């Protein structure tokens, strides 16, 4: 991103003499314009989750029986997708940093996974569906780290939590509405053209993904310096406001993609976040088994899928509210703790009782974990905000390694542990507690670093001697 680096200082000077009210008005218009464009990512995330989670819904429509799955084979089908994430997310984000064209890379990867998802509907046995799911993981890998990196290239640090929530709420909402959509297909398409309803689920969802991906090419932005639909004034402001937010010294010698890789590998914070999110992902494993968990309430397939929606609608509302407070207060960790506490309470209720009402209420509480996950990613972006090459790799490393926890989590809900799934909930509770404690260590460390930065500013005789931009603080 050297072109952005060259333009940053010039853009900052260009707006130095502009009246504050005029700049604020222009900035509001720019952010609204950007928000409108970025809103398409919500749909991309929704389709991403639906295509990934279709197997869980298809399970209620004869998926296992038709493909003759036995033992832990279904869990392997769910987990194999994360192998692609682990392998591909770092190379994909490094390529994105070099290419500087997210409006091309992200939709193209989406077209590929749409094709793979559609073809999953024609699989006839375990080997074929396993291969399809593996390819789905490879093709879906660029979306999450690429989008998080794209957001950090446009928004200021105290805007990221809300924007991350807005664009990733597609995942939260699709966890519910995907079930509604699946219920309609599974009940209305059985036997059409001689095909099982679960096969139509893959055909229809995959086709929609391809269509939306093609449209996204013309909607998504690239980065401020190379997005064509910006006016020169908007481009300069987009660059200048990032410089004012502490990006002024972000490119020490214009770090290359490979230098960014070395920087990320040598930073203990990247590894700490990675390990904590590996464990955290185990606590989140209930999400991919949500239809199975709701099925323990003993309703038929259609009612089960309908009941899966309301907890995620409330989760989306909670995520937006918590993220907004997080941005307004410029705090991260306390809101992560609050979100995880609701989920822990939900786990506890499900461990202690099989009462139908209590267990359904517990699902609403567990779904509130979505807010904390979104804020975690805003925090990761904030922590590595000042070096784009390093940030691209750090985001992908943390996301890719966290997928290891998803692989483990796929085996945490065997049928013989049901219908109570007490062991599963206990493991999830413990994993959530450990990851929250590890993030607490990061909170204390960054808080101490902020105090040191403040002392350095107070004692500095020349601001040019400071390693950090004046006023820069890590958000904690």
């Amino acid at each position: 991103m050297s072109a952005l680096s060259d333009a940053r200082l010039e853009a900052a000077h260009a707006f130095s003499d502009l009246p504050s009210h005029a700049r604020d008005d222009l900035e509001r218009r720019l952010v609204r314009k950007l928000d409108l464009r970025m809103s398409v990512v919500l749909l991309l995330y929704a389709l991403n989750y639906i295509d990934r989670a279709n197997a869980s819904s298809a399970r209620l429509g004869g998926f296992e029986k038709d493909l003759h799955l036995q033992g832990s084979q279904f869990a392997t089908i769910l987990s194999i997708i994360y192998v692609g994430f682990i392998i591909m997310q770092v190379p994909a984000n490094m390529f994105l940093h070099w290419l500087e064209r997210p409006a091309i890379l992200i939709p193209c990867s989406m077209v590929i996974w749409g094709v793979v998802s559609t073809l999953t509907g024609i699989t006839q046995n375990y080997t074929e569906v396993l291969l399809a799911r593996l390819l789905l993981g490879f093709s879906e890998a660029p979306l999450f780290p690429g989008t998080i990196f794209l957001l950090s290239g446009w928004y200021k640090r105290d805007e990221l939590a809300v924007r991350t929530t807005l664009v990733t709420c597609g995942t939260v909402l699709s966890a519910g509405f995907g079930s509604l959509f699946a219920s309609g297909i599974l009940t209305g398409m059985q036997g059409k053209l001689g095909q099982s309803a679960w096969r139509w689920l893959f055909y229809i969802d995959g086709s929609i993904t391809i269509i939306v991906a093609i449209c996204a090419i013309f909607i998504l932005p690239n980065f401020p310096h190379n997005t064509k639909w910006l006016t020169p004034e908007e481009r300069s402001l987009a660059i200048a406001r990032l410089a004012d937010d502490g990006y002024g010294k972000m490119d020490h010698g214009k770090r290359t993609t490979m230098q960014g890789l070395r920087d990320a590998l040598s930073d203990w914070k990247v590894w700490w976040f990675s390990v904590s999110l590996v464990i955290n992902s185990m606590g989140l494993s209930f999400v991919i088994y949500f239809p199975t968990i709701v099925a323990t309430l003993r309703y038929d397939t259609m009612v089960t899928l309908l009941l899966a929606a309301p907890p995620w609608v409330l989760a989306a509302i909670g995520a937006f509210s918590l993220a907004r407070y997080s941005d307004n207060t410029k705090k991260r960790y306390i809101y992560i703790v609050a979100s995880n506490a609701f989920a822990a309470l939900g786990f506890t209720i499900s461990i202690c009782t099989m009462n139908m009402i209590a267990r359904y209420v517990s699902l609403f509480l567990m779904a509130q974990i979505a807010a904390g996950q979104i804020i975690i990613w805003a925090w990761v972006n904030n922590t590595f905000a000042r070096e784009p090459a390093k940030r691209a790799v750090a985001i992908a490393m943390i996301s890719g390694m966290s997928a290891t926890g998803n692989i483990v989590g796929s085996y945490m809900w065997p049928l013989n542990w049901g219908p109570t799934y007490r062991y599963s909930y206990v493991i999830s509770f413990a994993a959530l507690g450990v990851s929250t404690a590890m993030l607490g260590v990061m909170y204390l460390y960054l808080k101490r670093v902020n105090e040191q930065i403040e002392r350095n500013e107070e004692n500095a005789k020349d601001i040019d001697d400071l390693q950090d931009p004046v006023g820069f603080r890590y958000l904690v």
Side-chain angles (χ1 to χ4, degrees):
M1 300 184 70
S2 58
L4 176 57
S5 307
D6 295 337
R8 196 176 302 278
L9 187 58
E10 179 183 344
H13 287 313
F15 285 87
S16 60
D17 297 328
L18 194 67
S20 60
H21 67 277
R23 171 173 169 149
D24 290 345
D25 184 58
L26 180 60
E27 186 169 352
R28 280 193 294 271
R29 293 201 304 269
L30 171 64
V31 172
R32 281 197 299 268
K33 184 177 183 178
L34 182 59
D35 286 344
L36 185 61
R37 292 272 184 166
M38 287 290 192
S39 62
V40 72
V41 180
L42 187 149
L43 185 55
L44 306 190
Y45 267 92
L47 293 171
N48 173 260
Y49 180 85
I50 288 173
D51 288 335
R52 191 191 320 164
N54 268 346
S56 295
S57 297
R59 188 185 200 186
L60 303 179
F63 178 80
E64 282 184 288
K65 180 181 178 182
D66 290 352
L67 297 181
H68 312 292
L69 303 184
Q70 300 175 351
S72 62
Q73 287 182 338
F74 181 77
T76 303
I77 286 171
L78 292 184
S79 65
I80 194 67
I81 193 171
Y82 299 109
V83 174
F85 286 13
I86 295 169
I87 295 172
M88 280 300 297
Q89 285 193 334
V90 170
N93 241 29
M94 290 177 67
F95 181 66
L96 176 58
H97 176 263
W98 173 83
L99 183 66
E100 300 181 341
R101 295 290 188 276
I104 300 297
L105 179 62
I106 292 174
C108 285
S109 68
M110 190 175 178
V111 169
I112 296 172
W113 96 56
V115 171
V116 173
S117 181
T118 303
L119 294 178
T120 304
I122 67 173
T123 55
Q124 299 296 325
N125 53 53
Y126 172 67
T127 302
E128 291 178 2
V129 74
L130 188 69
L131 178 60
R133 296 283 292 181
L134 177 62
L135 294 176
L136 187 66
F138 276 95
S139 55
E140 283 192 353
L143 177 69
F144 183 77
T147 303
I148 297 297
F149 182 53
L150 174 61
L151 290 176
S152 68
W154 285 95
Y155 292 106
K156 295 190 293 187
R157 289 177 299 138
D158 60 357
E159 297 170 341
L160 272 174
V162 167
R163 268 65 187 194
T164 304
T165 302
L166 288 174
V167 300
T168 58
C169 259
T171 299
V172 181
L173 291 173
S174 64
F177 289 106
S179 297
L180 293 177
F181 188 64
S183 69
I185 295 175
L186 292 178
T187 56
M189 297 297 291
Q190 180 62 35
K192 299 294 183 181
L193 299 180
Q195 298 285 310
S196 299
W198 69 262
R199 295 187 185 277
W200 282 109
L201 185 63
F202 287 102
Y203 297 153
I204 294 171
D205 287 345
S207 300
I208 293 173
T209 296
I210 295 169
I211 295 170
V212 172
I214 294 171
C215 296
I217 295 174
F218 305 99
I219 300 173
L220 277 176
N222 288 307
F223 292 104
H225 67 285
N226 65 349
T227 294
K228 294 181 179 179
W229 44 260
L230 289 178
T231 66
E233 188 178 37
E234 289 172 336
R235 179 173 291 106
S236 296
L237 178 58
I239 296 170
R241 69 194 215 102
L242 293 181
D244 293 343
D245 192 45
Y247 288 72
K249 293 185 179 181
M250 65 187 293
D251 293 309
H252 303 287
K254 299 177 184 176
R255 310 297 285 175
T256 66
T257 301
M258 291 307 298
Q259 287 172 325
L261 175 63
R262 288 194 293 270
D263 291 343
L265 290 172
S266 61
D267 189 338
W268 74 270
K269 297 191 296 296
V270 174
W271 295 100
W272 192 265
F273 271 122
S274 297
V275 174
S276 64
L277 288 185
V278 167
I279 300 170
N280 190 68
S281 294
M282 294 170 59
L284 279 167
S285 60
F286 73 92
V287 176
I288 57 177
Y289 280 95
F290 208 73
T292 299
I293 296 171
V294 178
T296 64
L297 301 178
R298 298 174 185 173
Y299 289 102
D300 62 34
T301 298
M302 184 173 183
V303 174
T304 294
L305 291 171
L306 292 175
L307 288 175
W312 296 109
V313 174
L314 183 63
I317 296 171
F320 180 77
S321 301
L322 220 59
R324 188 171 182 178
Y325 281 118
S326 177
D327 273 350
N328 289 341
T329 60
K330 298 186 178 182
K331 296 183 183 298
R332 298 294 187 233
Y333 180 65
I334 185 65
Y335 295 101
I336 295 169
V337 172
S339 173
N340 289 355
F342 279 112
L345 178 59
F347 292 150
T348 303
I349 293 173
S350 290
I351 290 170
C352 296
T353 182
M354 280 297 292
N355 178 272
M356 184 182 299
I357 296 176
R359 285 177 74 89
Y360 190 55
V361 169
S362 75
L363 296 179
F364 283 85
L365 294 171
M366 285 187 276
Q368 293 304 311
I369 200 172
Q373 303 314 299
I374 292 168
I375 294 173
I376 285 174
W377 284 106
W379 193 18
V380 169
N381 247 333
N382 297 151
T383 304
F384 305 104
R386 294 173 50 220
E387 301 167 18
K390 177 180 177 179
R391 184 171 69 251
V393 178
I395 291 169
M397 273 187 62
I398 295 168
S399 178
M401 289 185 65
S402 70
T404 307
N406 290 319
I407 294 176
V408 176
S410 298
Y411 295 91
M412 282 173 46
W413 301 82
L415 288 174
N416 62 320
W417 283 5
T420 65
Y421 290 108
R422 286 195 177 95
Y423 296 129
S424 307
Y425 286 120
V426 168
I427 297 171
S428 297
F429 184 97
L432 199 61
V434 172
S435 65
T436 303
M438 291 187 67
L439 292 173
V441 172
M442 182 62 70
Y443 162 78
L444 294 175
Y445 169 77
L446 294 178
K447 187 176 180 180
R448 190 179 68 179
V449 170
N450 282 342
E451 292 169 354
Q452 183 61 52
I453 293 173
E454 186 172 355
R455 285 194 296 269
N456 291 342
E457 289 180 359
E458 293 172 352
N459 299 330
K461 297 179 180 179
D462 187 340
I463 61 172
D464 291 332
D465 295 333
L466 294 173
Q467 293 183 345
D468 302 286
V470 175
F472 174 84
R473 300 290 186 276
Y474 288 102
L475 299 188
V476 295

